[in-house]
């Protein structure tokens, strides 16, 4: 059992609280200044508190506030070298955090699927066995260099938003074809989930899997021809590049300080 706390229980922090709690392997102190945010995670935490010094008692402390609030939170946190501080803020470099705490610092880029324990996370730095187990408990993680954090932020941090957009586009197409919205969304979202599971577990490449769906003279190849002609892959690449660029801009703000 690892004693954890999450400071900032907004969109990402509450997803982490919930996933850690659901794993059954962690105690979780949820900390936020907003009583409504704490009420929303009350059923998925060991304790809720507005007192940051209580959150500072955990072995692993997540700082899940917006990047521009990180410095203020660190100034209130008194941690020891035996503790781990996990920073998740986009663009905030590890050395910025290390200069403001005595704790061991781990920088990760998580995503919203922590809530369902399907998170894809990118992690940098020396990860202790406890942190590795913790990340395994809420999904999958990849170890990367810190210089790769901006692109990881775009791919797996912002990525869920891009996928929600694509699922909705598929849903809307289903509705336009006569399905009701709920049916269409279930079919589209489950199709994304199943396709994701397949590509994760199957040795075949994306191109080979596309081939497997395209029956000769069938329906799929007609749709794929439209996608290949539309440069949809370039639109996705542009979205990722824009998010990466913004992550670099945020990081530059911190380097200026
Ligand atoms: N959203 C996402 O999918 C992802 C977010 N991140 C990172 O996670 C961090 C949080 O993002 P997100 O959850 O979207 O932001 P939110 O604004 O949804 O959540 C931040 C929470 O922190 C609270 N807060 C502000 N100041 C304090 C404080 N001093 N002590 C305790 N709590 C405080 C806020 O309260 P109030 O609203 O009252 O100010 C809010 O509830 C960011 O750094 C972001 O880069 C990383 C990956 C994915
Ligand atoms: O949009 C953001 O800045 C945060 C970081 C990655 C996902 N959400």
């Amino acid at each position: 059992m690892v004693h954890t706390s999450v400071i900032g229980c907004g969109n990402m922090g509450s997803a982490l609280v919930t996933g850690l709690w659901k794993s059954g392997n962690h105690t979780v102190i949820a900390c936020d200044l907003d009583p409504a945010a704490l009420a929303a995670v009350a059923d998925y935490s060991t304790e809720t508190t507005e007192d940051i010094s209580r959150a500072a008692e955990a072995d692993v402390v997540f700082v899940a506030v917006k990047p521009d609030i990180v410095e203020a939170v660190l100034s209130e946190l008194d941690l020891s070298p035996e503790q781990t501080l996990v920073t998740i803020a986009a663009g905030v470099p590890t050395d910025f955090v290390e200069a403001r705490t005595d704790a061991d610092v781990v920088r990760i880029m998580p995503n919203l699927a922590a809530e369902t324990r399907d998170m894809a996370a990118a992690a940098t730095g020396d990860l202790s066995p406890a942190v590795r187990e913790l990340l395994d408990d809420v999904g999958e993680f990849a170890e990367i260099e810190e210089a790769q954090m901006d692109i990881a932020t775009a791919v797996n941090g912002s990525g869920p938003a891009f996928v929600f957009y694509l699922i909705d586009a598929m849903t809307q197409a289903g509705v336009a074809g006569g399905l009701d919205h709920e049916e269409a969304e279930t079919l589209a979202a489950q199709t994304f989930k199943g396709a994701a599971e397949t590509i994760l577990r199957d040795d075949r490449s994306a191109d080979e899997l596309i081939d497997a769906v395209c029956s000769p003279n069938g329906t799929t190849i007609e749709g794929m021809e439209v996608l290949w002609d539309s440069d949809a892959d370039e639109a996705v690449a542009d979205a990722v590049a824009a998010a990466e660029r913004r992550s670099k801009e945020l990081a530059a703000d911190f380097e200026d300080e």
Side-chain angles (χ1 to χ4, degrees):
M1 191 67 83
V2 178
H3 300 299
T4 69
S5 64
V6 178
I7 300 169
C9 296
N11 291 303
M12 190 59 236
S14 64
L16 283 166
V17 167
T18 306
L20 290 168
W21 172 258
K22 282 182 181 168
S23 78
N25 293 333
H26 308 280
T27 61
V28 193
I29 299 173
C31 174
D32 200 291
L33 302 178
D34 178 5
L38 293 178
V41 293
D43 289 345
Y44 300 104
S45 48
T46 316
E47 178 182 335
T48 62
T49 182
E50 293 174 41
D51 179 3
I52 197 166
S53 63
R54 182 75 186 118
E57 292 172 23
D59 297 327
V60 180
V61 178
F62 285 82
V63 175
V65 296
K66 287 180 185 150
D68 58 351
I69 312 281
V70 168
E71 186 168 21
V73 166
L74 293 177
S75 73
E76 290 181 56
L77 263 182
D78 189 14
L79 303 179
S80 72
E82 288 71 42
Q83 292 172 286
T84 301
L85 185 154
V86 184
T87 172
I88 69 166
V92 180
T94 304
D95 56 7
F96 180 90
V97 179
E98 280 176 338
R100 289 162 176 79
T101 183
D102 291 331
D104 192 30
V105 176
V106 171
R107 180 180 176 192
I108 70 165
M109 180 43 57
N111 75 19
L112 220 53
E115 182 168 353
T116 55
R117 303 179 61 212
D118 278 320
M119 176 168 83
T124 64
D126 281 338
L127 305 180
S128 67
V131 169
R132 286 171 189 280
E133 263 178 52
L134 184 153
L135 292 175
D136 278 338
D137 276 336
V138 285
E140 306 277 340
F141 69 97
E143 292 182 69
I144 62 167
E145 299 297 323
E146 182 147 25
Q148 299 170 308
M149 214 28 144
D150 299 307
I151 184 64
T153 297
V155 170
N156 74 282
S158 302
F162 306 150
V163 175
F164 294 142
Y165 174 90
L166 294 171
I167 291 173
D168 192 51
M170 193 103 104
T171 300
Q172 297 303 335
V175 170
L179 294 172
D180 77 31
H181 187 275
E182 199 181 333
E183 288 166 349
E185 191 170 77
T186 300
L187 291 173
Q190 180 64 32
T191 296
F192 269 72
K193 184 178 173 190
E197 286 291 342
T198 302
I199 204 161
L200 281 170
R201 313 283 166 228
D202 201 297
D203 286 340
R204 286 173 289 179
S205 68
D207 281 344
E208 287 170 329
L209 288 167
I210 289 170
D211 269 355
V213 186
C214 291
S215 307
N217 299 317
T219 61
T220 316
I221 191 65
E222 296 291 320
M224 285 309 306
E225 297 286 4
V226 172
L227 280 177
W228 285 321
D229 286 348
S230 73
D231 297 327
D233 55 344
E234 281 180 26
V236 171
D238 287 348
V240 170
E244 180 191 15
R245 191 168 59 244
R246 181 63 188 137
S247 179
K248 285 185 196 297
E249 284 170 6
L250 288 171
D253 287 349
F254 285 89
E255 277 151 19
D256 286 342
E257 292 191 18

